[in-house]
Amino acid sequence: MYATVLHGPGDVRYEQVEDPKILKPTDAIIQLSATCICGSDLWPYRGLSGTDGPAHMGHEYCGTVVEVGSEVRNIRPGQFVVGSFVLSDNTCPHCDFGFQSSCVQREFMSGVQAPYARVPLADGTLVATLEMPDANMIPHMLAVSDVLGTGWYGAVAANVREGGTVVVVGDGAVGLMGVMAASQLGAVRIIAMSRHESRQKLAREFGATDIVAERGEEGIARIMELTNGVGAESVVEAVGMEESMKQAIGACRPGGSIGYVGVPHGVSFDGQEMFFAQKRMLGGPAPVRRFLPDLMDRVLAGRIEPGKVFDLVLPIDQVAEGYKAMDERRAIKTMLKVA
Amino acid sequence: MYATVLHGPGDVRYEQVEDPKILKPTDAIIQLSATCICGSDLWPYRGLSGTDGPAHMGHEYCGTVVEVGSEVRNIRPGQFVVGSFVLSDNTCPHCDFGFQSSCVQREFMSGVQAPYARVPLADGTLVATLEMPDANMIPHMLAVSDVLGTGWYGAVAANVREGGTVVVVGDGAVGLMGVMAASQLGAVRIIAMSRHESRQKLAREFGATDIVAERGEEGIARIMELTNGVGAESVVEAVGMEESMKQAIGACRPGGSIGYVGVPHGVSFDGQEMFFAQKRMLGGPAPVRRFLPDLMDRVLAGRIEPGKVFDLVLPIDQVAEGYKAMDERRAIKTMLKVA
């Protein structure tokens, strides 16, 4: 088959590779319904995180099971499935505790920017629907796999509560999904920090009640104005840079919570500053598996349309243009049509 | 009157000072029933944190109100009171949120290693008992003011739950109180990290079910052995050094919580390491005021005896020996008798 391979910074190719096959009895092979490009794919694309040789790209996926290994019990060929970008057995103590992204057998998915893919730990990782969803559901189901699941985790890690006030730092796809999650979790005040008109519009559509375009100290001052000098009880940090992290800490009230889901790059914290800031912090790769059944139900019930975050849809053989558009911030997030 | 003044590293004197008096209409003057020396008093005593000129020492206190300012409403002369080491109005949004230690009017108490002291923000800070407690209750009531309140906050910040597993890093007075708090909050497995026999004994008395004497990587390995390779869901860090913080993070399971109540000295965190460790962290000066009524009730009902943490009791004019004994680790915590 053909698949997406990153050969070096800026060099993404859709080229012939070996077909995926069952390697372990706990594997499944799926035929992708659609896939997409993640903000985190841009780190190696930009040469900001190293790769050893050509890398098979892609970790967000949904599709139809075509084959399962001999030990797979919960999933069978013909089912439509969504899986997390983190593979987990869903039975170990960390999975039981709701942190499947720290599963003792954890692996990170890769190679799904392709028509077919191997999914290790299929029983633990994949969640099947009862019926084949309508085609118009595919973008929304695909979004659950990582971008919504990650935004959702950010909101949960930030202890978003019914009636609460939430600040979302970052207007990338994950930040926008954090807005949607905060809204679904019952927050009444959702302040999105965004400078881009198209993203502000989407943030409002997803539930943002206020937009703050300022950044840094000015941004924090604006949040304080909007919260009567108190700050927000919940802050979702969805960028991972030093400035955005400072903004998150500054926007949060003492005793409030920060869920940080942008992988930190070049960020460090001074212990004594953190101590006196007195803010609860939880980050990490999202345990999407914990949220999958609930989020898939919300999608199928028509309560959320997270697929709206895809503002560029391309046939998969134009994947290179998809990366380019996101790199140049012409697109928030690119969906790749496989069939 | 005479009071405790630190003139420089190692130079604590009990010497004549001006009597405290009402400076603001929200002040009260109390006559101390007893006071004590805090582990944090040792930082300036050891010259590890600077002071500008002579410093009036002491911030843990209980006693009898002798005078109140014209705006004090909740407290009256003759009442027995306990207050937090952090002064707060108990009415601002941060106080309402349970974080009185970040009160908008926050001040830190000082100068209570003396027979009398001024307590600013008396209405917000002090909690009175219905009756004058028996003399044997004084050490326990005194401990509530900071050392128990701080250990309690550490356990609450670490999300200690009924039936849970808790690791306490640090066998100083605060760590020992963290053990007591974890026990009161219903933890069934409480692992105290301690190398000192007398402190191990006290930890067991306060509810520790296991003792780990090893430190660093060995200490973490031992915790893993004791928790079937999982780690603890709650960790109280009560030291504030780099090694102890690493131990706390290493002992905590993914998705677990760390309450850190030792003021960090020379500690910093790498953002990406923290992210992938995936542990919830909350520190800060303890909002003891939130817990005061409950903790005072527990003491008066005889359910807890936190005053047992005082293993050296001296008349206040021997305060210099009290500091020396703690500095040399001959004493866990020194109580100073005032009358």
Side-chain angles (χ1 to χ4, degrees), chain A:
Chain A
M1 69 173 186
Y2 276 67
T4 305
V5 180
L6 179 73
H7 285 265
D11 183 7
V12 172
R13 302 180 207 165
Y14 193 64
E15 65 183 16
Q16 190 134 23
V17 302
E18 272 188 47
D19 286 353
K21 58 183 184 214
I22 300 285
L23 298 179
K24 289 187 185 174
T26 48
D27 290 349
I29 303 295
I30 62 168
Q31 178 174 19
L32 277 289
S33 299
T35 181
C36 57
I37 302 170
C38 181
S40 69
D41 292 332
L42 296 181
W43 289 99
Y45 179 81
R46 289 171 174 161
L48 298 173
S49 65
T51 54
D52 299 329
H56 287 243
M57 300 299 288
H59 54 259
E60 300 176 79
Y61 59 102
C62 64
T64 306
V65 179
V66 291
E67 191 185 349
V68 298
S70 59
E71 289 177 16
V72 172
R73 295 282 171 272
N74 305 335
I75 299 294
R76 57 179 189 277
Q79 283 182 320
F80 180 86
V81 291
V82 183
S84 166
F85 70 102
V86 185
L87 309 160
S88 60
D89 60 27
N90 212 30
T91 58
C92 84
H94 301 320
C95 288
D96 271 354
F97 198 56
F99 283 82
Q100 290 91 342
S101 47
S102 288
C103 173
V104 295
Q105 298 200 58
R106 174 176 81 183
E107 292 178 51
F108 287 96
M109 191 65 187
S110 65
V112 300
Q113 286 164 5
Y116 291 89
R118 181 176 79 96
V119 184
L121 298 172
D123 268 347
T125 300
L126 298 173
V127 175
T129 56
L130 289 175
E131 295 167 17
M132 192 59 57
D134 290 343
N136 62 2
M137 284 291 168
I138 297 302
H140 308 310
M141 293 302 254
L142 173 63
V144 170
S145 176
D146 176 353
V147 64
L148 174 61
T150 296
W152 199 273
Y153 171 61
V156 169
N159 282 320
V160 170
R161 283 166 219 262
E162 196 91 36
T165 295
V166 183
V167 167
V168 178
V169 180
D171 62 1
V174 171
L176 292 168
M177 293 290 100
V179 169
M180 178 179 280
S183 175
Q184 287 283 308
L185 292 167
V188 293
R189 190 87 186 272
I190 302 171
I191 308 171
M193 303 192 82
S194 169
R195 292 198 298 189
H196 305 84
E197 210 174 316
S198 62
R199 293 165 190 239
Q200 291 174 356
K201 195 163 161 268
L202 212 45
R204 286 205 186 272
E205 188 175 341
F206 290 162
T209 55
D210 303 81
I211 302 287
V212 168
E214 293 86 349
R215 287 192 179 185
E217 287 304 318
E218 274 180 70
I220 294 169
R222 188 79 190 97
I223 297 290
M224 285 300 152
E225 257 178 61
L226 289 171
T227 57
N228 298 316
V230 172
E233 64 204 68
S234 298
V235 178
V236 178
E237 199 285 340
V239 183
M241 308 292 284
E242 197 184 343
E243 191 193 359
S244 57
M245 196 62 92
K246 279 193 178 155
Q247 229 166 268
I249 294 171
C252 185
R253 69 183 297 174
S257 299
I258 299 167
Y260 57 108
V261 288
V263 180
H265 283 80
V267 178
S268 68
F269 304 98
D270 176 72
Q272 200 162 116
E273 270 176 42
M274 263 183 68
F275 178 87
F276 284 103
Q278 194 154 47
K279 285 146 198 190
R280 200 178 281 104
M281 297 186 68
L282 175 61
V288 176
R289 180 63 183 80
R290 190 203 315 174
F291 310 119
L292 268 185
D294 175 40
L295 298 182
M296 290 165 70
D297 283 351
R298 286 176 198 252
V299 163
L300 292 173
R303 292 169 62 192
I304 50 174
E305 298 184 308
K308 287 189 174 172
V309 79
F310 298 115
D311 59 346
L312 178 61
V313 179
L314 294 174
I316 194 167
D317 59 3
Q318 290 178 37
V319 59
E321 165 57 17
Y323 274 78
K324 202 153 181 284
M326 282 174 67
D327 181 41
E328 294 168 1
R329 290 182 75 85
R330 285 184 280 118
I332 299 172
K333 193 168 177 73
T334 307
M335 184 169 110
L336 302 168
K337 285 197 294 187
V338 175

